[in-house]
Amino acid sequence: MKEIAVVGVGNTKIGEWYDISLRELTDEAISKAIQSANIDPKEIGGTFVGSMSSGIFNQQEHLAALVGPHSGINAPAVRVENACASGGSALRVAMMAINAGFYDTALVVGVEKMTDLIDIGDVTTALGTAADGEWELGVGATFPALYALIMRAHMHKYGSTLEEFASVSVKNHKNGSLNPDAQFRKVVTMETVMNSRMIAEPVRLFDCSPVSDGAAAVILTAKDGAKKYTDDPIYIKGSGAGTDHIALHMRESLTSMQATKRAAETAFKMAKITPKDIDFIEVHDCFTVAEVITLEDLGFCKVGKGGKFSLDGETALNSTISVNPSGGLKSKGHPVGATGIYQVIEIFHQLRNEAGKRQVSKNDIGVTQNIGGSGASCVINVFSRGA
Amino acid sequence: MSVPRTWRNRRALYSLEGSKCQKCGKYYFPGRTRCLDCNTSGLENHNFSGTGKVATYSWVYTPPKGFNNRIPYCLAIVELDEGPKLTTQLVAVEEGDVEIGMPVEFSFRKISSEGDEGVITYGFKFRPKNYPNHLKKK
Ligand SMILES: [Zn+2]
């Protein structure tokens, strides 16, 4: 792969923005990204939009045509959908286009505007479309319930505890309290998490990421031209993706994600790194158990010990490995299709020492892990400052 | 729920019809025509025995639309005796009754409904094995 640089980023704060439309969200993110890269919009060769479910959330498809031109960018545009991994997947498609020689520079936008649906049952059903419609959603599954099935299986197989899972939420809220763009900037206690409302037992409200609105944009360019836009580009050193059966019950394991393992294998090999080389990582903690399993699948700890690793504080800011310094999906928020791009933006700021109070001290190599569905899709990217 | 979708899946929903590979012996639920393990085509239909065990479960308190008749309800992944797994609801159980590994059996039930006048979907749920006073699967 030809090396690609991120030369500009921009995003909205994440929240419930009832007074802001989808196109206003993307316009804010794109405007900031253009300013950040100090780029003439005419230099953008292609636009790639990641969004999961604007058709259901906003009765709006054809986002590629809505988003670019509204912000004055008339480059050919396309939307990429891979459930909650839509953002990360859009980034990869943009990388492929640059590598194939179609464009030198690309704009990648992730967006989800979820609060146009008022009834929470409608939101639950919309998110459920990332699962198997006929054989999961159609028989009564919800997204929290699918992750509850994973969590229960993990607890049964490895003896992991509710306290261990709760520690993920507490840690991410603590990090998020330091992030001015986060939806929830509030420290929470173990008691708050463990006594919160039951959603799908054993998953409680504070095991779940929230319903969020947000847009995030990054500008990618081939390595050779990167310094034209910024003195401090960051580089994508490795990229990998994995795909598995959409239905959890069809997969080899209930307690491990093959998609994550496959994505990591490709990305780490390309970047010539091992898990030990990673200083910090943004992982897809849509539910606390997802972060726990990811720690195991990526080899940061022993299989079955991800929860204990978290409870022991090994994943706290500037501990053994800083996991989700941004606050993760739990605290920062989870506008589903935008999440993969928000993760890249966190890495961008951390690598450039721009992350303020949540700045990690060891920041040579940062990684993103973006899951789609209950683990059927995964995108992993490795970043560093050095070209 | 879509009427055509329920109609085309009726054999799987109503009587656990799947398929079996004659060459390597692998079972599939729902059924399919080509074996993913040995690439044999033209798999034959197979009616599953309807018994299996609980692989994992959850009690769902926040249902999607159409599933709010009984809160909480028990969602589970059941591993059929023949090997395949499926996602289903467990019935005739209360919170605290269910365990991983528990033997269960097919039970024909109402799955979801669209309000008072909409479509009702019927299909499989599972109940504790040898649950009394219920018709056995034929
Ligand atoms: Zn076969």
Side-chain angles (χ1 to χ4, degrees):
Chain A
M1 187 186 85
K2 191 159 73 177
E3 241 176 68
I4 288 171
V6 183
V7 294
V9 305
N11 61 271
T12 70
K13 290 187 179 197
I14 300 178
E16 296 173 78
W17 306 129
Y18 295 103
D19 54 345
I20 309 177
S21 69
L22 188 150
R23 76 184 77 186
E24 288 168 333
L25 288 171
T26 53
D27 190 45
E28 181 182 336
I30 293 169
S31 300
K32 286 177 174 169
I34 287 171
Q35 199 175 13
S36 158
N38 195 23
I39 190 174
D40 179 346
K42 288 190 190 66
E43 289 179 52
I44 291 167
T47 300
F48 298 83
V49 182
S51 173
M52 174 185 153
S53 218
S54 59
I56 302 178
F57 286 126
N58 320 102
Q59 290 78 53
Q60 178 70 63
E61 305 288 19
H62 207 180
L63 282 194
L66 178 80
V67 163
H70 180 70
S71 294
I73 294 162
N74 296 314
V78 68
R79 169 177 166 186
V80 179
E81 188 272 312
N82 237 357
C84 327
S86 295
S89 299
L91 187 89
R92 265 178 64 84
V93 174
M95 290 163 66
M96 291 172 196
I98 292 172
N99 261 277
F102 282 92
Y103 315 121
D104 292 327
T105 301
L107 168 70
V108 190
V109 186
V111 63
E112 213 75 56
K113 165 75 193 155
M114 299 168 73
T115 59
D116 277 358
L117 288 185
I118 300 301
D119 187 312
I120 190 68
D122 286 334
V123 175
T124 300
T125 303
L127 291 171
T129 61
D132 187 323
E134 288 178 298
W135 303 108
E136 291 187 314
L137 197 65
V139 299
T142 64
F143 246 81
L146 290 172
Y147 276 94
L149 296 177
I150 295 172
M151 186 166 159
R152 170 92 59 201
H154 194 278
M155 292 168 73
H156 183 258
K157 188 168 181 184
Y158 300 113
S160 46
T161 65
L162 294 172
E163 200 179 19
E164 291 172 359
F165 292 105
S167 73
V168 173
S169 181
V170 171
K171 180 264 297 173
N172 285 342
H173 271 274
K174 192 173 173 192
N175 291 350
S177 73
L178 306 174
N179 183 350
D181 289 345
Q183 183 167 359
F184 300 121
R185 299 194 59 198
K186 205 175 148 192
V187 173
V188 299
T189 64
M190 292 289 278
E191 290 67 38
T192 304
V193 177
M194 295 180 73
N195 295 322
S196 60
R197 186 159 62 85
M198 196 63 86
I199 302 294
E201 198 259 347
V203 167
R204 289 178 182 268
L205 183 65
F206 273 72
D207 289 300
C208 309
S209 53
V211 171
S212 312
D213 300 332
V218 297
I219 291 166
L220 302 184
T221 192
K223 181 181 129 186
D224 298 342
K227 292 275 171 123
K228 183 174 146 194
Y229 302 109
T230 173
D231 292 337
D232 309 303
I234 68 163
Y235 298 92
I236 307 175
K237 308 297 284 186
S239 179
T243 302
D244 202 346
H245 288 283
I246 188 167
L248 173 63
H249 62 243
M250 292 294 289
R251 294 186 215 137
E252 192 182 298
S253 171
L254 297 174
T255 54
S256 165
M257 293 178 186
Q258 286 301 314
T260 295
K261 290 182 170 179
R262 289 172 194 157
E265 193 184 342
T266 311
F268 293 177
K269 191 187 265 182
M270 192 184 289
K272 299 188 184 70
I273 62 160
T274 67
K276 277 197 278 298
D277 299 318
I278 299 168
D279 297 314
F280 65 102
I281 183 166
E282 286 286 307
V283 305
H284 196 95
D285 61 313
C286 51
F287 296 90
T288 51
V289 64
E291 178 163 326
V292 166
I293 284 182
T294 296
L295 296 172
E296 298 170 12
D297 285 339
L298 294 182
F300 295 129
C301 62
K302 284 197 185 128
V303 174
K305 296 290 180 194
K308 184 171 187 304
F309 194 67
S310 176
L311 185 62
D312 289 349
E314 309 275 4
T315 60
L317 202 60
N318 293 321
S319 173
T320 308
I321 174 167
S322 301
V323 179
N324 280 330
S326 71
L329 284 52
K330 176 71 199 79
S331 168
K332 184 187 60 191
H334 183 28
V336 279
T339 282
I341 304 300
Y342 275 100
Q343 291 180 325
V344 174
I345 293 177
E346 178 68 9
I347 303 286
F348 183 88
H349 291 311
Q350 290 284 358
L351 286 175
R352 290 167 36 127
N353 293 298
E354 298 168 346
K357 286 182 181 167
R358 64 184 193 285
Q359 178 65 47
V360 299
S361 48
K362 282 196 297 178
N363 66 344
D364 290 325
I365 294 181
V367 169
T368 57
Q369 184 243 13
N370 189 195
I371 297 173
S374 61
S377 297
C378 184
V379 176
I380 291 181
N381 289 307
V382 180
F383 302 83
S384 83
R385 279 185 302 276
Chain B
M1 295 303 133
S2 139
V3 172
R5 187 172 94 173
T6 302
W7 177 81
R8 72 174 177 268
N9 288 333
R10 65 197 179 283
R11 290 189 198 87
L13 284 168
Y14 298 171
S15 58
L16 284 186
E17 183 188 279
S19 57
K20 182 187 180 184
C21 176
Q22 269 58 52
K23 192 171 172 206
C24 76
K26 186 166 170 122
Y27 292 91
Y28 290 94
F29 184 85
R32 50 177 303 123
T33 57
R34 180 173 58 85
C35 180
L36 298 180
D37 273 12
C38 72
N39 215 27
T40 298
S41 291
L43 301 196
E44 286 181 7
N45 290 342
H46 173 82
N47 259 32
F48 282 88
S49 64
T51 53
K53 57 184 200 299
V54 174
T56 183
Y57 67 95
S58 166
W59 288 92
V60 181
Y61 285 74
T62 54
K65 289 237 153 152
F67 289 87
N68 32 15
N69 272 352
R70 184 187 191 279
I71 305 300
Y73 59 88
C74 187
L75 188 81
I77 290 180
V78 166
E79 183 175 353
L80 299 171
D81 287 344
E82 294 90 337
K85 293 194 189 78
L86 51 78
T87 301
T88 186
Q89 290 181 41
L90 299 187
V91 291
V93 287
E94 300 294 330
E95 278 190 273
D97 290 350
V98 182
E99 288 176 11
I100 290 177
M102 185 172 107
V104 289
E105 64 188 18
F106 171 95
S107 177
F108 182 76
R109 297 286 178 129
K110 183 166 127 182
I111 303 259
S112 61
S113 55
E114 291 176 331
D116 290 340
E117 294 173 14
V119 176
I120 296 175
T121 303
Y122 293 93
F124 58 82
K125 292 186 181 178
F126 280 71
R127 65 185 180 223
K129 199 175 173 185
N130 299 323
Y131 190 79
N133 303 326
H134 279 63
L135 290 174
K136 296 281 177 212
K137 183 171 184 294
K138 60 163 169 56

